[in-house]
């Protein structure tokens, strides 16, 4: 190439999402679009006006979290829920047994 010729300009990039990828993945793996819609309705009915103005619409969350491998996100959400439910159940069992054993033991 001659020194007077300029390099061709790169093709225009598609419009990039302004959503942080970490936030997007956190949303995908913690709550589904249907669950967010239910949460959104709950928040709208029970929150002050300042919160209602700032809450993200369910359609926007669905657009942010849409991916082709939704099965993986659903599987991770389910496994997290099982883990949390198991941990909570064990904590409750521990609390119940310590209370019952404390009552039944002689002084």
């Amino acid at each position: 190439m001659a020194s007077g010729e300029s390099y061709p300009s790169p093709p225009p990039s598609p419009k990039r999402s302004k959503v942080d990828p970490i936030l997007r993945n956190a949303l995908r793996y913690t709550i589904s679009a249907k669950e967010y819609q239910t949460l959104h309705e709950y928040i709208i009915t029970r929150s002050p006006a300042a919160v209602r103005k700032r809450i993200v619409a369910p359609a926007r969350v669905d657009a942010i979290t849409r991916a082709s491998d939704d099965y993986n996100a659903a599987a991770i959400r389910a496994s997290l829920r099982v883990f949390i439910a198991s941990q909570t159940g064990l904590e409750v069992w521990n609390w119940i047994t310590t209370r019952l054993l404390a009552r039944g033991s002689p002084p």
Side-chain angles (χ1 to χ4, degrees), residues 74-85:
I76 289 174
R77 278 193 304 270
S79 64
L80 285 172
R81 290 176 184 147
V82 167
F83 174 74
I84 291 170

Side-chain angles (χ1 to χ4, degrees), residues 56-67:
V56 180
R60 174 86 171 119
V61 171
D62 189 33
I64 290 170
T65 61
R66 185 170 306 269

Side-chain angles (χ1 to χ4, degrees), residues 5-93:
E5 293 179 24
S6 64
Y7 289 102
S9 63
S13 62
K15 187 176 180 181
R16 298 189 71 154
S17 175
K18 294 181 180 180
V19 178
D20 183 34
I22 295 172
L23 175 64
R24 182 183 62 234
N25 285 334
L27 279 173
R28 277 184 57 217
Y29 290 125
T30 55
I31 192 166
S32 69
K34 189 175 181 181
E35 293 165 340
Y36 181 77
Q37 184 171 359
T38 305
L39 178 66
H40 182 267
E41 291 169 3
Y42 179 81
I43 291 172
I44 290 295
T45 59
R46 297 195 170 130
S47 63
V51 174
R52 285 186 213 143
K53 290 179 192 175
R54 298 190 57 157
I55 192 165
V56 180
R60 174 86 171 119
V61 171
D62 189 33
I64 290 170
T65 61
R66 185 170 306 269
S68 61
D69 61 345
D70 196 37
Y71 174 77
N72 290 338
I76 289 174
R77 278 193 304 270
S79 64
L80 285 172
R81 290 176 184 147
V82 167
F83 174 74
I84 291 170
S86 299
Q87 182 66 27
T88 303
L90 288 172
E91 291 293 328
V92 168
W93 176 254

